[in-house]
Amino acid sequence: MATSFIRTPRQYEQDCHILHSYFSGNFGAISNKEVVRIFVNRDSNALKLVCQTYSHWYGQDLLQFVSNVQRNNSFARIAYLRMVEPYERDAQLLRHSLFGGSLNLNTLIEVACTRPSSELLQIKHCYQTQYKSDLEKDLTMKISGGFKEILVTVLRSCRNYSSKVDMSLAMCDAKTLYEALESGKNIDQRTIISVLSRRNNGQVRAILSSYKQLYGHELSKSVKRSKCGQFGKELQVVIRCIQHPEKFFAKQLRMKNADGREILIRTVVTRSRIDIKGINKAFATKTGSSLENLVVREFGSSKNKNNDIVVGILVGLIKGC
């Protein structure tokens, strides 16, 4: 849990001293618990002030330093993800998913479908500023098939951001989607895309809830049938991610991927204080084991100070302590 008291400059200096000792290799001057406590207990605003204080005292950009070494250092990766601005972090994730080698659809879906529409607007602006490029155009250029149309639709829908959910409108949209799926031999893709493009993620969740209330089953099951084809399969993935993000993340964590450690670190760090407890529950339901156990299996096998700190931070973020 984030510290609730107001921290003084002296307390930020103590954090900086601990981090400087660690990164300088002076491990005898600090304990693992001191390092873990910084990245578990400090919120994003506090960590931003730690970075500013570090620059003042040591003349070094701490965020840039951990960014430079994060590729092969799990602790540095965690530190970077905790300290960088969330919008900048997500813009970088999207850019790397599109241009970092092979296309990473799962990460694209993760960011586009689990972030609130208000955050997506900020992410798109950050992407434009950082890379001098339009996210929707880049996505259209790099992705083919139904996912291209569906994900561009989700990104465009954030323009309709509103903090209020209109349940009457959701009921009407649910009926429209039902007709698009059931009224003919083939589904009406254009109508489905039109509805989704005009509703932000919060409103889409309300539509999905209304659909189940009206017809007794989830929309994702309706698009699973053969007449929906590949478009239906791809739409199902996106819909499930919007409706049940905790299940999406739990599934990603269960998959055997070459970048499994990155997915574990990113999920725990980016979803802490949001829905990490729900992800942990969904993961345990399918595997009979907890995320804490997964962390220990991945990082706790070797007697390494760096790995001990990684385990401490990730387990602390999962527990919310």
Side-chain angles (χ1 to χ4, degrees):
M1 185 178 297
T3 49
S4 58
F5 54 87
I6 298 175
R7 294 177 57 76
T8 66
R10 174 63 179 165
Q11 290 167 315
Y12 291 122
E13 291 171 21
Q14 291 172 347
D15 287 350
C16 291
H17 171 71
I18 292 167
L19 293 175
H20 187 260
S21 294
Y22 177 83
F23 289 122
S24 300
N26 187 16
F27 301 134
I30 55 172
S31 69
N32 288 1
K33 288 183 178 179
E34 290 177 304
V35 179
V36 168
R37 187 162 51 243
I38 293 171
F39 291 101
V40 172
N41 292 351
R42 310 295 181 253
D43 62 19
S44 58
N45 289 328
L47 288 172
K48 185 187 298 185
L49 290 170
V50 168
C51 287
Q52 292 172 1
T53 306
Y54 194 97
S55 177
H56 173 76
W57 279 100
Y58 300 107
Q60 185 177 30
D61 186 329
L62 180 59
L63 186 61
Q64 186 61 52
F65 172 77
V66 294
S67 175
N68 291 341
V69 299
Q70 65 176 317
R71 182 182 295 275
N72 298 309
N73 185 314
S74 296
F75 168 64
R77 179 60 173 159
I78 292 172
Y80 181 78
L81 291 175
R82 286 287 285 120
M83 292 189 294
V84 70
E85 288 284 355
Y87 309 136
E88 184 179 350
R89 173 201 70 203
D90 286 343
Q92 291 170 359
L93 288 173
L94 290 169
R95 183 72 176 183
H96 187 264
S97 298
L98 290 168
F99 297 101
S102 60
L103 183 69
N104 191 329
L105 268 173
N106 284 331
T107 303
L108 292 172
I109 293 168
E110 172 188 328
V111 176
C113 300
T114 67
R115 287 5 176 206
S117 293
S118 57
E119 290 185 14
L120 279 179
L121 277 173
Q122 297 290 340
I123 293 165
K124 288 168 67 176
H125 291 156
C126 184
Y127 187 97
Q128 176 74 48
T129 301
Q130 196 163 352
Y131 303 109
K132 307 299 186 233
S133 186
D134 181 80
L135 176 58
E136 292 176 17
K137 289 182 179 178
D138 285 349
L139 195 148
T140 300
M141 177 178 65
K142 296 292 289 186
I143 300 179
S144 59
F147 271 126
K148 175 171 69 175
E149 191 172 17
I150 296 166
L151 288 176
V152 168
T153 295
V154 173
L155 290 173
R156 286 177 178 167
S157 72
C158 70
R159 301 169 184 168
N160 307 306
Y161 166 69
S162 171
S163 58
K164 295 181 180 180
V165 171
D166 187 332
M167 292 307 300
S168 296
L169 182 60
M171 282 288 186
C172 291
D173 285 341
K175 293 175 182 177
T176 299
L177 290 176
Y178 183 82
E179 287 296 318
L181 289 166
E182 304 292 344
S183 61
K185 287 185 177 181
N186 299 308
I187 63 172
D188 185 350
Q189 293 186 22
R190 181 171 295 182
T191 296
I192 294 170
I193 291 296
S194 176
V195 170
L196 295 178
S197 68
R198 290 182 280 112
R199 308 292 181 245
N200 62 63
N201 283 357
Q203 189 67 31
V204 169
R205 280 190 285 273
I207 294 170
L208 298 174
S209 176
S210 298
Y211 191 97
K212 184 175 182 180
Q213 182 181 338
L214 286 169
Y215 305 111
H217 61 273
E218 293 189 351
L219 177 64
S220 59
K221 289 188 176 180
S222 293
V223 300
K224 195 176 181 180
R225 294 167 305 166
S226 59
K227 82 169 188 175
C228 299
Q230 186 63 28
F231 175 83
K233 292 177 182 178
E234 292 165 347
L235 180 62
Q236 182 188 40
V237 172
V238 171
I239 286 173
R240 281 182 169 175
C241 188
I242 293 174
Q243 189 172 18
H244 302 294
E246 71 285 354
K247 293 181 180 179
F248 171 85
F249 284 108
K251 184 175 181 179
Q252 294 302 304
L253 291 165
R254 296 198 311 273
M255 295 171 65
K256 300 297 183 182
N257 292 313
D259 58 347
R261 283 191 169 190
E262 163 64 15
I263 293 172
L264 176 56
I265 289 171
R266 191 175 70 237
T267 299
V268 173
V269 173
T270 62
R271 306 310 289 184
S272 64
R273 303 190 179 107
I274 300 175
D275 56 1
I276 192 62
K277 292 186 183 299
I279 296 169
N280 199 0
K281 183 177 180 180
F283 182 83
T285 298
K286 290 291 186 179
T287 66
S289 185
S290 67
L291 289 182
E292 293 96 316
N293 289 337
L294 178 61
V295 167
V296 172
R297 287 199 302 272
E298 285 289 339
F299 298 102
S301 57
S302 63
K303 295 300 179 181
N304 178 292
K305 184 180 182 70
N306 188 55
N307 279 2
D308 287 344
I309 292 173
V310 167
V311 171
I313 295 172
L314 294 180
V315 169
L317 292 174
I318 291 168
K319 291 181 176 179
C321 55

